Amino acid sequence: MAPLDLIRRIDLTSLRLFVTVCDEQHLTRAAERENIAPSALSKRLAELEAVLGAVLFTRHPRGMSATVAGEALLGHARAILANVERMGAELADHAGGMLGQVRILANISTIVEFLPEDLSSFYKAHPGIRIELEERTSAAVIRGVEEGVGDIGLCVATMNSRDLYSAPYRRDRLVLAVRADHPLARRTEIGFADTLEYEHIGLHQDSAIYRRSEIAAAMAGRDVKLRFHVPGFDAVLRMVESGIGIGLIPDGVFAVIGPGMRLKAIPLTDEWAHRELKLVCRDPAEATPAVRLFREHLLAGA
């Protein structure tokens, strides 16, 4: 089917309903969420499948799940709906005197280490542009930018950018945070394998740092002795300060949060501890003026 035919035959309401069904994986729950009769929702889905000439869902006793074709449509549908919402928000901003908005998705390392200064200097130069910031894991940053939820993403460079534009942003280095009275506190640097006999405080399981530490431990033929996971770097350092364990954090984060605690930061000697952070976005040529300005501002300091 020609693209123009799809534009004429697919409406935004059907796409929104399709996304809701994908999220709920159940027709009745999706209908309740959208305040529509299940029969009407089912008819919408059937019409959408007829227009596209593809089966979008597999029906089973406990609900329904997207087919391969449905998964392909889902990414496009999310991006289209996000762009429509963005269009409305930007027009409202212009009506209120704003000059545009930029939606940033960033991992926690970037948010703590580098973004505050970058945002502050950008606001001073461009006070009429609104910035929205959401913390996500590096993997979720890539997905969010692909789906149009964010305009610019900041994440670890080892993450696959897929079809997104990417450019170097900053660098950091992982350090081991220990109490001043810990047996390792005398070390001036340390290999990660030498830390594995001690109890660790880890970030959440989806964090890039925790996942990489698990890989490094496996390569050393050992496991990380994990006390428990915590949601952020401040929690890691508080647990370390209390003597519960030791923890890995970026050096820039320690410089911001660590002063005043009875802690020492020991640089890791492992090559993987030297990290690059990158900026990702969709086609730069299609970005709004506000997004272009912010991207150039970030890369100017890279």
Side-chain angles (χ1 to χ4, degrees), residues 199-302:
E199 300 279 356
H200 279 246
I201 306 299
L203 286 172
H204 53 85
Q205 292 177 311
D206 291 330
S207 69
I209 292 176
Y210 178 71
R211 287 186 171 184
R212 189 61 186 84
S213 68
E214 278 198 316
I215 293 173
M219 292 177 66
R222 302 174 66 180
D223 294 320
V224 178
K225 293 182 179 180
L226 186 70
R227 281 277 190 175
F228 36 67
H229 294 283
V230 293
F233 293 125
D234 53 346
V236 170
L237 292 181
R238 283 289 293 118
M239 297 298 175
V240 173
E241 185 183 33
S242 298
I244 298 174
I246 58 179
L248 292 182
I249 67 169
D251 53 0
V253 172
F254 189 89
V256 172
I257 305 176
M261 295 183 171
R262 298 170 296 169
L263 302 179
K264 180 180 179 181
I266 308 172
L268 289 188
T269 58
D270 304 76
E271 183 178 347
W272 57 267
H274 296 264
R275 305 193 309 165
E276 289 191 0
L277 303 170
K278 66 182 176 183
L279 177 150
V280 297
C281 62
R282 295 182 301 282
D283 187 353
E286 298 179 358
T288 65
V291 172
R292 286 201 300 270
L293 277 174
F294 191 68
R295 185 185 68 244
E296 292 166 1
H297 178 79
L298 293 180
L299 296 182

Side-chain angles (χ1 to χ4, degrees), residues 10-249:
I10 295 180
D11 62 273
L12 294 177
T13 299
S14 293
L15 287 181
R16 191 189 75 242
L17 294 173
F18 164 76
V19 170
T20 301
V21 175
C22 288
D23 290 342
E24 297 293 339
Q25 296 188 345
H26 196 280
L27 186 69
T28 302
R29 288 199 301 267
E32 291 174 352
R33 176 172 153 186
E34 291 289 346
N35 195 27
I36 184 175
S39 58
L41 177 53
S42 181
K43 182 181 178 182
R44 284 269 192 175
L45 294 179
E47 291 173 348
L48 187 58
E49 289 179 322
V51 168
L52 296 173
V55 177
L56 302 177
F57 292 99
T58 299
R59 278 75 171 176
H60 45 80
R62 294 187 177 181
M64 53 204 304
S65 56
T67 62
V68 174
E71 291 288 352
L73 175 61
L74 181 59
H76 293 294
R78 289 192 193 280
I80 291 169
L81 295 174
N83 283 334
V84 171
E85 290 183 359
R86 178 185 175 192
M87 176 182 67
E90 287 191 5
L91 290 175
D93 285 342
H94 285 296
M98 297 294 291
L99 301 179
Q101 68 168 347
V102 183
R103 298 165 302 165
I104 310 168
L105 306 178
N107 67 347
I108 186 61
S109 299
T110 304
I111 292 174
V112 176
E113 292 186 275
F114 306 112
L115 264 182
E117 287 74 22
D118 284 339
L119 287 171
S120 177
S121 56
F122 184 79
Y123 274 129
K124 290 177 182 177
H126 307 283
I129 296 178
R130 185 175 70 185
I131 304 293
E132 295 181 0
L133 174 61
E134 179 182 336
E135 179 200 337
R136 291 193 174 196
T137 64
S138 289
V141 166
I142 298 293
R143 287 197 304 272
V145 175
E146 281 185 320
E147 294 173 356
V149 177
D151 302 305
I152 289 176
L154 299 169
C155 60
V156 293
T158 52
M159 195 61 56
N160 186 349
S161 302
R162 297 196 274 267
D163 294 328
L164 297 176
Y165 165 88
S166 67
Y169 173 56
R170 294 286 195 279
R171 290 187 178 93
D172 65 14
R173 183 180 185 180
L174 296 181
V175 298
L176 182 73
V178 302
R179 277 172 55 116
D181 58 358
H182 192 274
L184 295 177
R186 297 178 183 178
R187 302 285 292 269
T188 57
E189 59 182 14
I190 192 169
F192 181 68
D194 294 334
T195 74
L196 295 175
E197 62 181 283
Y198 300 96
E199 300 279 356
H200 279 246
I201 306 299
L203 286 172
H204 53 85
Q205 292 177 311
D206 291 330
S207 69
I209 292 176
Y210 178 71
R211 287 186 171 184
R212 189 61 186 84
S213 68
E214 278 198 316
I215 293 173
M219 292 177 66
R222 302 174 66 180
D223 294 320
V224 178
K225 293 182 179 180
L226 186 70
R227 281 277 190 175
F228 36 67
H229 294 283
V230 293
F233 293 125
D234 53 346
V236 170
L237 292 181
R238 283 289 293 118
M239 297 298 175
V240 173
E241 185 183 33
S242 298
I244 298 174
I246 58 179
L248 292 182
I249 67 169

